Amino acid sequence: MLEGIEKIFDEMQPMMKKLKKASYEKNMERFREAHGHYFSEMAGYMEQAGEKEKAAREIGESFIDQVEKHFKVNGKIGGRVQTDLNFFMIYYVFPAILLSGGEYGKMTADAICGQWGGRFKDSKISYADYDTIYSGFREKIFGIF
């Protein structure tokens, strides 16, 4: 399941650099065009699953296993990389799940978010939908970048 999903992080650095309202909108559009099939796969898996909570847990485990495998060096993920991953999850991955996840998008995002915080050090994160994040921008995200 979700074979190759770690590729969604390939453009993480440029997509997080100088993040402004206009660039966030364009980045999200490109991100969903390039990687939307992963989010559709998640939604489809949830739709066909009999036990929704179990399916959401399986998606979370598969997703995190692949991220962990890709980013671990000498058995751990460095602090800076983990911080970047956390922000990327908040700004792009969770909103994309919610936009593409259909009826079970929130359940899927909750499962991934909960497991993410348990698997990665100092990574108790939460998420918001695309519109909430987008509306939080003035010219720059919360005036800090």
Side-chain angles (χ1 to χ4, degrees):
M1 178 188 328
L2 302 174
E3 205 58 41
I5 195 157
E6 70 279 357
K7 291 179 181 112
I8 68 173
F9 296 96
D10 285 352
E11 296 294 316
M12 179 170 57
Q13 296 302 324
M15 289 174 67
M16 295 300 294
K17 197 172 195 169
K18 297 182 181 178
L19 197 57
K20 298 179 181 177
K21 192 170 196 167
S23 63
Y24 178 63
E25 183 177 22
K26 289 176 187 168
N27 288 346
M28 179 59 89
E29 192 174 301
R30 282 194 313 271
F31 179 71
R32 290 184 67 215
E33 283 175 15
H35 305 293
H37 60 283
Y38 294 116
F39 305 112
S40 296
E41 182 181 347
M42 290 180 197
Y45 189 75
M46 288 297 292
E47 289 290 331
Q48 61 83 28
E51 296 180 46
K52 304 299 185 198
E53 288 184 19
K54 181 180 178 216
R57 253 190 334 272
E58 290 170 352
I59 289 170
E61 288 169 5
S62 178
F63 180 85
I64 293 169
D65 286 348
Q66 292 187 53
V67 170
E68 199 171 37
K69 181 179 160 187
H70 184 72
F71 286 98
K72 270 191 173 181
V73 176
N74 297 325
K76 65 179 187 172
I77 297 175
R80 174 63 190 201
V81 172
Q82 188 62 61
T83 299
D84 290 346
L85 290 170
N86 292 346
F87 277 111
F88 194 78
M89 291 292 292
I90 292 165
Y91 287 116
Y92 292 100
V93 178
F94 288 123
I97 290 170
L98 295 172
L99 287 168
S100 307
E103 182 180 351
Y104 302 103
K106 183 171 179 358
M107 184 181 288
T108 303
D110 286 344
I112 293 171
C113 189
Q115 291 179 46
W116 188 269
R119 292 272 282 279
F120 299 120
K121 184 181 175 187
D122 299 325
S123 294
K124 297 281 187 200
I125 59 176
S126 61
Y127 63 88
D129 62 30
Y130 172 79
D131 292 330
T132 301
I133 293 172
Y134 183 77
S135 68
F137 282 97
R138 295 217 187 332
E139 172 58 23
K140 301 178 181 179
I141 184 69
F142 308 118
I144 58 174
F145 286 118

